């Protein structure tokens, strides 16, 4: 009997089979319905969790073998005009000492990251108008082209909400990816988290960026008051957007912010969502970030199906993370060398640069093919 026929018989037989059914359906890469996604997101029993994570790993292996991609992170300006309730760098927060790194320092850091073996450099900033004001031309595209020409690596840019014109300039300057996380796709929750920001404006930036040829990363937060239904909505929105890379990060309470005393949820929620991302988007990039639990949290994220390690930061340069601004940075625990030790223990390895570029090229070709200008 085929697996599909078997599933149909099982479905009529007993609900006890239903988790196996859903996991087999995912293994057959048949689209999961909303109910099935919600049932996966609600798994609590140890054995069921084990089966979920195992399925995620099988799918990762199908598309990526034992290879993992590594992203360097350069948070070059921590100035921001926004007031996100969850973020240490929100504009009214005076607990944080801010910096804006000179271009030469950004370039030399990016080169150092490239030499250490990352596949991509993520240039991230608060919504710092210093880089975005028109003047003689905004400064950000210029910085992008300097980093591009000196590293030769694929680049991601995380500048927040920017105009069409700036997105076009960033693309022309050599940026390949646009990262801009909605945090939630529940509008009411969005307005509590990203206070005084426009939901549609933010989401629309990604739609436009994709249209002009950017690869897109979408992301959500876990533990900010979202429900299972909200996460299912996010998965639907990510699918509709056609995100190429997806992430979930557990909210880490930050001093000096309105959510400083918000209780932090257990890390398991992030792992479950990570695994469900892999089941729903088997051939896409799924992030395991060092920015939540540092190096000790990497194994569980990889075991849940992540295939990209992000937030690799060179030590002793005064560069910060976002949700964990300093954790492990100066100790050298957010480096390629440190990540490799974890990969090795898990039987995984760092992918070649060619493998990463091939993946990007394949996606780009598919995107051009499906682009309909009308
Ligand atoms: N300023 C730009 C923006 O907001 O799009 C770029 C920075 S963005 C990459 C920072 C991201 O880190 C947020 O979108 C959010 O998902 C995550 N983040 C920020 N503060 C966090 C916290 N306290 N806990 C967990 N994640 C956080
Ligand atoms: C990370 N700290 O990858 C970074 C940051 C921004 N595009 C990414 C949140 O976890
Ligand atoms: Fe600014 Fe980004 Fe932090 Fe929001 S998440 S306060 S936009 S740096």
């Amino acid at each position: 009997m085929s697996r599909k026929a078997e599933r149909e018989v099982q479905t009529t037989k007993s609900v006890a089979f239903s988790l196996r059914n859903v996991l087999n359906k995912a293994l057959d890469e048949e689209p999961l319905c909303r109910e099935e996604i919600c049932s996966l997101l609600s798994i609590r029993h140890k054995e069921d969790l084990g089966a979920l994570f195992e399925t995620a790993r099988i799918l990762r292996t199908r598309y990526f073998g034992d290879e993992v991609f590594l992203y360097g992170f350069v948070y070059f300006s921590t100035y921001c005009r926004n007031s996100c309730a969850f973020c240490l760098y929100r504009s009214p927060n005076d607990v944080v000492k801010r910096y804006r790194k000179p271009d030469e320092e950004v370039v030399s850091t990016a080169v150092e990251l490239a030499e250490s073996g990352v596949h991509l450099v993520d240039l991230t900033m608060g919504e710092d108008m210093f880089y975005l004001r028109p003047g003689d031309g905004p400064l950000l595209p210029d910085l992008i082209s300097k980093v591009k020409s000196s590293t030769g690596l694929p680049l991601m840019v995380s500048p927040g909400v920017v105009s069409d014109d700036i997105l076009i300039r960033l693309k022309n300057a050599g940026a390949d990816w646009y990262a801009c996380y909605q945090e939630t796709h529940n509008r009411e929750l969005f307005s509590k988290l990203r206070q005084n920001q426009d939901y549609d404006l933010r989401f629309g930036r990604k739609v436009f960026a994709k249209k002009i040829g950017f690869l897109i990363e979408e992301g959500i937060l876990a533990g900010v008051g979202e429900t299972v239904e909200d996460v299912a909505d996010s998965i639907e929105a990510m699918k509709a957007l056609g995100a190429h890379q997806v992430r979930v990060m557990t909210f880490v309470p930050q001093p000096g912010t309105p959510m400083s005393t918000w209780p932090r949820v257990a890390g398991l929620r992030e792992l479950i969502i990570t695994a469900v991302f892999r089941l729903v988007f088997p051939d896409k990039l799924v992030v395991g970030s060092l920015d939540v639990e540092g190096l000790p949290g990497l194994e569980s994220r990889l075991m849940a199906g992540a295939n990209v390690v992000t937030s690799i930061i060179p030590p002793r340069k005064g560069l910060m993370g976002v949700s964990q601004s300093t954790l492990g940075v100066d100790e050298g625990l957010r480096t390629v060398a440190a990540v490799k030790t974890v990969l090795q223990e898990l039987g995984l390895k760092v992918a070649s640069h060619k493998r990463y570029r091939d993946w990007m090229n394949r996606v780009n070709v598919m995107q051009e093919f499906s682009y309909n200008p009308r």
Side-chain angles (χ1 to χ4, degrees):
M1 203 183 321
S2 75
R3 205 148 68 190
K4 191 167 178 199
E6 208 173 284
R7 261 204 315 271
E8 273 152 19
V9 174
Q10 282 176 355
T11 315
T12 54
K13 259 208 282 196
S14 155
V15 280
F17 282 110
S18 62
L19 172 63
R20 198 61 258 166
N21 280 346
V22 178
L23 296 180
N24 282 341
K25 198 169 164 185
L27 285 171
D28 288 345
E29 298 186 40
E30 278 188 45
L32 301 182
C33 70
R34 188 184 173 90
E35 238 184 328
E36 291 167 328
I37 289 173
C38 288
S39 76
L40 294 177
L41 292 168
S42 308
I43 290 179
R44 288 296 168 268
H45 293 295
K46 209 170 159 203
E47 279 147 43
D48 295 348
L49 287 167
L52 170 67
F53 296 147
E54 190 189 9
T55 306
R57 292 194 299 275
I58 293 172
L59 286 165
R60 178 185 61 200
T61 308
R62 186 178 296 168
Y63 284 96
F64 300 98
D66 55 358
E67 297 181 341
V68 170
F69 302 130
L70 309 181
Y71 286 10
F73 180 63
V74 185
Y75 198 5
F76 62 90
S77 169
T78 58
Y79 287 88
C80 186
R81 62 175 171 177
N82 285 336
S83 293
C84 300
F86 52 83
C87 182
L88 178 66
Y89 305 96
R90 69 197 305 267
S91 119
N93 195 0
D94 48 23
V95 167
V96 65
K97 247 181 85 191
R98 295 177 198 268
Y99 62 79
R100 192 179 277 138
K101 297 289 181 195
D103 283 11
E104 312 78 69
E105 224 175 293
V106 178
V107 169
S108 64
T109 299
V111 168
E112 189 178 313
L113 280 165
E115 284 167 353
S116 78
V118 300
H119 297 91
L120 169 145
V121 175
D122 176 5
L123 293 169
T124 293
M125 56 184 237
E127 281 190 20
D128 180 0
M129 295 316 288
F130 176 81
Y131 289 94
L132 303 173
R133 255 189 288 270
D136 293 334
L139 300 173
L140 187 56
D142 191 42
L143 177 60
I144 300 288
S145 45
K146 284 184 198 161
V147 174
K148 185 80 179 186
S149 60
S150 39
T151 61
L153 282 184
L155 295 185
M156 172 179 274
V157 61
S158 312
V161 168
V162 293
S163 66
D164 286 5
D165 174 58
I166 290 188
L167 278 171
I168 292 167
R169 287 171 191 247
L170 295 174
K171 184 81 189 47
N172 292 340
D176 303 278
W177 286 86
Y178 176 58
C180 182
Y181 316 140
Q182 204 73 15
E183 326 297 0
T184 174
H185 298 78
N186 171 334
R187 287 165 184 271
E188 208 181 311
L189 184 53
F190 177 93
S191 65
K192 289 183 190 149
L193 296 172
R194 287 199 162 263
Q195 296 171 353
N196 303 314
Q197 295 175 50
D198 188 301
Y199 181 97
D200 295 298
L201 179 65
R202 191 167 177 86
F203 198 78
R205 295 299 71 210
K206 292 170 263 198
V207 175
F208 178 77
K210 186 163 188 249
K211 219 190 290 186
I212 62 169
F214 269 107
L215 298 172
I216 306 297
E217 183 184 10
E218 175 62 304
I220 58 173
L221 291 176
V224 287
E226 77 287 354
T227 62
V228 161
E229 296 289 335
D230 290 336
V231 178
D233 284 342
S234 286
I235 289 174
E236 276 172 24
M238 288 167 165
K239 207 184 278 178
L241 174 65
H244 306 95
Q245 178 168 302
V246 291
R247 73 162 62 202
V248 49
M249 296 208 300
T250 309
F251 165 62
V252 182
Q254 303 295 330
T257 67
M259 291 175 76
S260 61
T261 57
W262 187 273
R264 185 170 165 173
V265 297
L268 186 59
R269 190 182 299 191
E270 178 182 324
L271 301 179
I272 294 172
I273 299 172
T274 300
V276 175
F277 282 169
R278 173 61 65 206
L279 266 54
V280 178
F281 308 113
D283 58 342
K284 300 292 186 287
L285 306 187
V286 177
V287 167
S289 176
L290 296 169
D291 209 20
V292 178
E293 296 179 315
L295 195 67
L298 184 55
E299 174 175 340
S300 59
R301 286 163 175 79
L302 291 166
M303 291 298 281
N307 73 320
V308 179
V309 180
T310 71
S311 213
I312 291 174
I313 305 176
R316 295 175 290 278
K317 292 204 171 289
L319 285 162
M320 298 189 121
V322 180
S323 40
Q324 290 288 359
S325 53
T326 55
L327 178 74
V329 175
D330 283 347
E331 296 84 347
L333 297 176
R334 283 167 79 163
T335 55
V336 171
V339 169
K340 272 184 182 164
T341 60
V342 177
L343 296 184
Q344 232 157 29
E345 276 165 30
L346 299 178
L348 297 168
K349 63 177 188 225
V350 178
S352 67
H353 286 271
K354 180 175 183 311
R355 192 75 92 197
Y356 187 67
R357 283 183 186 283
D358 285 350
W359 186 89
M360 276 179 55
N361 290 339
R362 240 191 339 270
V363 171
N364 279 328
V365 168
M366 272 163 18
Q367 194 152 311
E368 263 165 47
F369 197 63
S370 65
Y371 177 55
N372 179 353
R374 269 168 307 152

